[in-house]
Amino acid sequence: MVLGTEDATPVTFWFAVSPGASVQMDDLVVVETRKPDGQMVRFYGLVDHVRTRHEGVTFDSDVADVVAGLLPASVSYAARVLVTRVSPENFIPPQPGDSVQHARGEDLRIALSADKMKRAFPGGLLADGQVLPVNYQFVNGESGGHINISGISGVATKTSYALFLLHSIFRSGVLDSRHEGHATRALIFNVKGEDLLFLDKPNKEVEGVERGVRAAKNLPQGRYDLLGLPMSPFQDVQFLAPPREGGSGVIVPNVEQRLGGVTPFVFTVREFCARRMLPYAFADRNASLNLGFVIGSIEDKLARLAQGGDAPHLTVSDWKAETNALLDESVRFSELGEARIETFPQLVAYLDYKLLEENEGAGDRRWTGNQSPATLQAFIRRLRGVQKHLSPLVRGDLTAAQAEKYRPNILGGRFKTSVVDINRLGSHAQMFVVGVLLRDLFEHKERYGRQDTVFVVLDELNKYAPREGDSPIKDVLLDIAERGRSLGIILIGAQQTASEVERRIVSNAAIRVVGRLDLAEAERPEYRFLPQSFRARAGILQPGTMLVSQPDVPNPVLVNYPFPAWATRRDEVAEAVGVQETEDAGRDWLGE
Amino acid sequence: MRIRLDPWPVDTQDGQLTLKPFAGLVFDAETDLWAAIPTRGIPERMRRILVVDGKPRMEARLLLDDGAGALSVAGFGAFVVGAVDLCPHGSRQAQLQGVSARRVLAYSGDAPLEVARLSPRNPHSGVLEYQPHAFAGAQVEGARAAVQTLMLRREQAMSAELASPLPLDETDVDALPDTLVLQDGPVRPGEAGRAVVGYVKTLHTDYLGADRIGLLTALRPGERTPVLRFKLGDRGDGAGEGREQRFTWYVRLCDAPFYQHPLAGVMRLEMHAPEDTDFVPRGVQDIADLSGALLCRLASQPHKDPRAPQNLIPTAALEQAMGRAMGSAEMVTRRIRAHLAGQYGSRVVA
């Protein structure tokens, strides 16, 4: 019953728990109150605080007398409710004495605004084993878009939850209702370990873990069954990884744990120039204004240079072999006076020549513009800095067929989910890959429109779109955050600390999820959407538990989600796949 | 001249100590030896202790006008009687029993009044229903006395109803009852033959005399005096012949602090005695033996209760619960005002 000793308001109230009943934090409850004219108003809410105390005693030490059986006292068990919905919308307070019930069935749907959701997918299980619906229209860009997940690394399991959401979106049937399941894609960047390279393999531990959880929580069904999701790994997944360094002829993906089924990806030197990837090689934030001009003009020049050909390499006529004695022997001359640029170091050397060496150190006036030699030197110095990282990725020594085969193909093909493994790349190369792929994706969607949603999963947003400073990747991410939802690109971003990510990216996310947070971090303004009691609790959340805030429900809801049905580590892969995998690996080595 | 504190706060009606000499005769009932007797502890058979108390309150003084110009006095009042049910061995939770308020419209005069029903201003607060009760006389304080009388009567009925029977003969070996009632104040007529002990918190009457009272100072916590017997209302002039006999003894609950008078922490207990006998029945003896241990357990602490240790822990809780059962006096007064205003057509309400 609603308490009369605490204020009851339309947004929050306390209620007393009857003897024998129990209520825990995060339970959803409903209260019905009658207006003087007889109309009923129902309040739906979430329990965010529970407490017990001895009632009618004055001193703390009275507890000893109560326990000794001398002092009569009753235990007051009360809970505080944050109202999530008032129906109909009459913002009168509930009356003391109104009876409070657990919200179940239809009440639960209303409490979570599920009745307002035309299309929803399960976002996890509530504390009492009921399903939290997440409004798909706030995910796919119709009413809102983007998901942002914050939490301490390791215990917050941000990536696991992002993958669970993807699994739920793909497999819950929400896509079929829109007839778009066949064309919806996901692009996942793997930035840590090789965990995500086994998404298509069943997890041998999932059944045991889920059985244990079901018994411990006394659930009527397994969690996957409750959620209505198959306990199976991802389907139609392709794995992309950058090639191993060295190895001139065969291109082998640079992965350790997974032996087969990983496709290497490279960009050709011509693509690098034609598709203006140069800025993404300069991802550091403190580029000066002048350097920006140089990058812009060189990018332009390279793009022009790359026109009129389709070979993976570039051909230049104004560069003599003897002018650059540093070049290795792989420089081949097809004709007199023409040089092929087949590797990234050669491209750098060519630029070095055009900017700093030609005309006895003055450079080619058309290339240098009016920039001071110091700026040009800075440009070359930086380019040489990233040369080591980018040379395996940007190559010209391929056949046209190879170039076609190893070009990352995310939107076409039969694969719904693409995992791009960049964890072994240096941070410059990671930025380059993320920036280039997202930019391509964005430009593609700008041309073809929004009908097919693409989900981009990217961890460590604070690295790619830091609050301070500028970088070309941040520009792409900002574009996605601000315009992406109208184009059908949905960013499922994650970071340890939302306070260090560009504000516009976080604030554009319609759905915000918080796992375990550092308590100091939880007090920052980025988490104001959490009520105070939730901010305090964010410090004690266990792995597998998340606070989910969505626009339809004014208060965040605590959910847990099942153990991944896909392997997240090499040793979780069910054994049966071993032989096939070895064969696949052999075929890869043979270059098939 | 030594100055000592009376332990009770000055705003209580009387001090703890007055010691007016008792005019009648007091007999040794248990033993001739005037010395402290240690407690024997609480035997296992004693399963249930009930601490009974009551609380009256006047809520409004009224003047009744019969329309012909005759005025009479009346009053709205309330009283609560309740008990705390506890196990002396601490094996279960103490519980409040029967704590509910009764409301009385006490009036003088002959014309019977109807029940006054004060309806609530909104459906979430209850109805107040005052049962009419006529009293004789026309004193201004008559209504208050009537409420007080009703309360005492109810208290006595409750004590008698809850307590085990207690045979008052010499021989019964199974005399110790399993349910004992501790009742605030002296025992009342009508409770004889039941296991009811009255506990008197104040020492207003000195039953001992100057030669014996020194033992009270010497008692250690839990110790008691031998049981004495006296006749209620005996003024030493023989006029009280045939009135009730009582047993009484004193128990010390705690050591008196040095700044208080040396009788602080001493309580007098009282039980009914059979008519004209000079033995102490087995049941009374057993109760006297356990009283030290029991009361030391129930004694309150000075920082929690200004009338500690005599105001027992369950009593304080009971008083609080009774106050709550009667509701806020201020709110009730407003309800009464609004009720009368509503009855007589005025728009002016509280």
Side-chain angles (χ1 to χ4, degrees), chain A residues 100-121:
Chain A
V100 180
Q101 312 280 345
H102 275 287
R104 303 207 185 282
E106 185 58 26
D107 281 340
L108 182 83
R109 279 173 48 75
I110 298 176
L112 294 172
S113 296
D115 58 323
K116 287 196 278 188
M117 301 178 188
K118 269 194 268 174
R119 273 176 287 278
F121 61 93

Side-chain angles (χ1 to χ4, degrees), chain A residues 554-565:
Chain A
N555 284 309
V557 180
L558 183 130
V559 297
N560 65 77
Y561 59 95
F563 193 74

Side-chain angles (χ1 to χ4, degrees), chain B residues 248-262:
Chain B
T248 187
W249 68 97
Y250 292 82
V251 176
R252 179 173 279 283
L253 305 187
C254 70
D255 282 321
F258 67 91
Y259 52 83
Q260 289 179 354
H261 68 72

Side-chain angles (χ1 to χ4, degrees), chain A residues 47 75 100 103 130 158 183 227 254 311 328 341 358 377 384 386 394 405 413 423 454-456 492 523 550 567 584 588:
Chain A
V47 174
V75 173
V100 180
Q130 306 189 76
K158 305 180 288 287
L227 289 163
N254 189 8
D328 60 42
I341 299 175
E358 201 176 10
Q377 272 163 1
R384 286 214 189 281
V386 299
V394 180
K405 180 177 173 190
N423 88 88
V454 179
F455 294 97
V456 176
I492 302 181
E523 292 302 325
Q550 55 176 327
D584 286 349
D588 277 2

Side-chain angles (χ1 to χ4, degrees), chain A residues 69-92:
Chain A
L70 301 178
L71 184 63
S74 48
V75 173
S76 127
Y77 179 175
R80 187 173 65 192
V81 174
L82 293 178
V83 175
T84 55
R85 182 124 177 237
V86 184
S87 165
E89 283 206 329
N90 279 321
F91 289 97
I92 59 167

